PDB file of all heavy atoms in Angstrom:
ATOM      1  N   GLY A  46     -93.798  39.269  43.207  1.00  0.00           N
ATOM      2  CA  GLY A  46     -94.631  40.446  42.985  1.00  0.00           C
ATOM      3  C   GLY A  46     -93.816  41.676  42.634  1.00  0.00           C
ATOM      4  O   GLY A  46     -94.181  42.456  41.750  1.00  0.00           O
ATOM      5  N   ARG A  47     -92.664  41.855  43.317  1.00  0.00           N
ATOM      6  CA  ARG A  47     -91.803  42.998  42.990  1.00  0.00           C
ATOM      7  C   ARG A  47     -91.181  42.842  41.603  1.00  0.00           C
ATOM      8  O   ARG A  47     -90.958  43.835  40.905  1.00  0.00           O
ATOM      9  CB  ARG A  47     -90.697  43.155  44.048  1.00  0.00           C
ATOM     10  CG  ARG A  47     -91.156  43.642  45.422  1.00  0.00           C
ATOM     11  CD  ARG A  47     -91.927  44.952  45.379  1.00  0.00           C
ATOM     12  NE  ARG A  47     -93.358  44.760  45.148  1.00  0.00           N
ATOM     13  CZ  ARG A  47     -94.167  45.658  44.658  1.00  0.00           C
ATOM     14  NH1 ARG A  47     -93.727  46.828  44.280  1.00  0.00           N
ATOM     15  NH2 ARG A  47     -95.454  45.400  44.489  1.00  0.00           N
ATOM     16  N   LEU A  48     -90.902  41.592  41.198  1.00  0.00           N
ATOM     17  CA  LEU A  48     -90.402  41.372  39.849  1.00  0.00           C
ATOM     18  C   LEU A  48     -91.455  41.740  38.810  1.00  0.00           C
ATOM     19  O   LEU A  48     -91.169  42.425  37.816  1.00  0.00           O
ATOM     20  CB  LEU A  48     -89.971  39.918  39.669  1.00  0.00           C
ATOM     21  CG  LEU A  48     -89.557  39.519  38.247  1.00  0.00           C
ATOM     22  CD1 LEU A  48     -88.369  40.353  37.767  1.00  0.00           C
ATOM     23  CD2 LEU A  48     -89.242  38.035  38.171  1.00  0.00           C
ATOM     24  N   LEU A  49     -92.695  41.287  39.019  1.00  0.00           N
ATOM     25  CA  LEU A  49     -93.769  41.620  38.083  1.00  0.00           C
ATOM     26  C   LEU A  49     -93.983  43.136  38.006  1.00  0.00           C
ATOM     27  O   LEU A  49     -94.194  43.696  36.926  1.00  0.00           O
ATOM     28  CB  LEU A  49     -95.067  40.929  38.494  1.00  0.00           C
ATOM     29  CG  LEU A  49     -95.070  39.396  38.398  1.00  0.00           C
ATOM     30  CD1 LEU A  49     -96.367  38.837  38.970  1.00  0.00           C
ATOM     31  CD2 LEU A  49     -94.877  38.931  36.956  1.00  0.00           C
ATOM     32  N   SER A  50     -93.925  43.782  39.144  1.00  0.00           N
ATOM     33  CA  SER A  50     -94.071  45.238  39.183  1.00  0.00           C
ATOM     34  C   SER A  50     -92.950  45.909  38.394  1.00  0.00           C
ATOM     35  O   SER A  50     -93.191  46.835  37.604  1.00  0.00           O
ATOM     36  CB  SER A  50     -94.056  45.724  40.631  1.00  0.00           C
ATOM     37  OG  SER A  50     -94.077  47.139  40.694  1.00  0.00           O
ATOM     38  N   MET A  51     -91.709  45.449  38.583  1.00  0.00           N
ATOM     39  CA  MET A  51     -90.576  46.047  37.885  1.00  0.00           C
ATOM     40  C   MET A  51     -90.674  45.832  36.373  1.00  0.00           C
ATOM     41  O   MET A  51     -90.429  46.760  35.583  1.00  0.00           O
ATOM     42  CB  MET A  51     -89.256  45.489  38.408  1.00  0.00           C
ATOM     43  CG  MET A  51     -88.038  46.118  37.752  1.00  0.00           C
ATOM     44  SD  MET A  51     -86.465  45.562  38.448  1.00  0.00           S
ATOM     45  CE  MET A  51     -86.507  46.383  40.040  1.00  0.00           C
ATOM     46  N   LEU A  52     -91.037  44.620  35.953  1.00  0.00           N
ATOM     47  CA  LEU A  52     -91.187  44.354  34.527  1.00  0.00           C
ATOM     48  C   LEU A  52     -92.265  45.250  33.921  1.00  0.00           C
ATOM     49  O   LEU A  52     -92.111  45.780  32.816  1.00  0.00           O
ATOM     50  CB  LEU A  52     -91.526  42.882  34.287  1.00  0.00           C
ATOM     51  CG  LEU A  52     -90.399  41.883  34.556  1.00  0.00           C
ATOM     52  CD1 LEU A  52     -90.935  40.451  34.502  1.00  0.00           C
ATOM     53  CD2 LEU A  52     -89.260  42.052  33.552  1.00  0.00           C
ATOM     54  N   SER A  53     -93.363  45.418  34.647  1.00  0.00           N
ATOM     55  CA  SER A  53     -94.440  46.279  34.167  1.00  0.00           C
ATOM     56  C   SER A  53     -93.972  47.729  34.061  1.00  0.00           C
ATOM     57  O   SER A  53     -94.238  48.412  33.073  1.00  0.00           O
ATOM     58  CB  SER A  53     -95.648  46.172  35.098  1.00  0.00           C
ATOM     59  OG  SER A  53     -96.721  46.960  34.637  1.00  0.00           O
ATOM     60  N   LYS A  54     -93.234  48.185  35.062  1.00  0.00           N
ATOM     61  CA  LYS A  54     -92.737  49.570  35.022  1.00  0.00           C
ATOM     62  C   LYS A  54     -91.747  49.766  33.879  1.00  0.00           C
ATOM     63  O   LYS A  54     -91.699  50.834  33.260  1.00  0.00           O
ATOM     64  CB  LYS A  54     -92.105  49.927  36.368  1.00  0.00           C
ATOM     65  CG  LYS A  54     -93.130  50.091  37.480  1.00  0.00           C
ATOM     66  CD  LYS A  54     -92.467  50.244  38.839  1.00  0.00           C
ATOM     67  CE  LYS A  54     -93.520  50.369  39.937  1.00  0.00           C
ATOM     68  NZ  LYS A  54     -92.919  50.382  41.298  1.00  0.00           N
ATOM     69  N   MET A  55     -90.944  48.748  33.581  1.00  0.00           N
ATOM     70  CA  MET A  55     -89.997  48.839  32.468  1.00  0.00           C
ATOM     71  C   MET A  55     -90.730  48.898  31.123  1.00  0.00           C
ATOM     72  O   MET A  55     -90.286  49.583  30.205  1.00  0.00           O
ATOM     73  CB  MET A  55     -89.042  47.648  32.504  1.00  0.00           C
ATOM     74  CG  MET A  55     -88.079  47.673  33.675  1.00  0.00           C
ATOM     75  SD  MET A  55     -87.175  46.113  33.888  1.00  0.00           S
ATOM     76  CE  MET A  55     -86.123  46.125  32.454  1.00  0.00           C
ATOM     77  N   MET A  56     -91.849  48.183  31.030  1.00  0.00           N
ATOM     78  CA  MET A  56     -92.635  48.184  29.790  1.00  0.00           C
ATOM     79  C   MET A  56     -93.502  49.429  29.668  1.00  0.00           C
ATOM     80  O   MET A  56     -93.849  49.833  28.563  1.00  0.00           O
ATOM     81  CB  MET A  56     -93.542  46.955  29.756  1.00  0.00           C
ATOM     82  CG  MET A  56     -92.818  45.618  29.642  1.00  0.00           C
ATOM     83  SD  MET A  56     -92.014  45.401  28.046  1.00  0.00           S
ATOM     84  CE  MET A  56     -93.435  45.319  26.957  1.00  0.00           C
ATOM     85  N   ALA A  57     -93.881  50.035  30.802  1.00  0.00           N
ATOM     86  CA  ALA A  57     -94.818  51.180  30.815  1.00  0.00           C
ATOM     87  C   ALA A  57     -96.031  50.886  29.939  1.00  0.00           C
ATOM     88  O   ALA A  57     -96.341  51.633  29.010  1.00  0.00           O
ATOM     89  CB  ALA A  57     -94.120  52.460  30.383  1.00  0.00           C
TER      90      ALA A  57
END
Side-chain angles (χ1 to χ4, degrees):
R47 289 305 87 203
L48 174 60
L49 294 174
S50 175
M51 182 176 289
L52 290 171
S53 182
K54 289 172 181 174
M55 291 169 69
M56 293 292 294

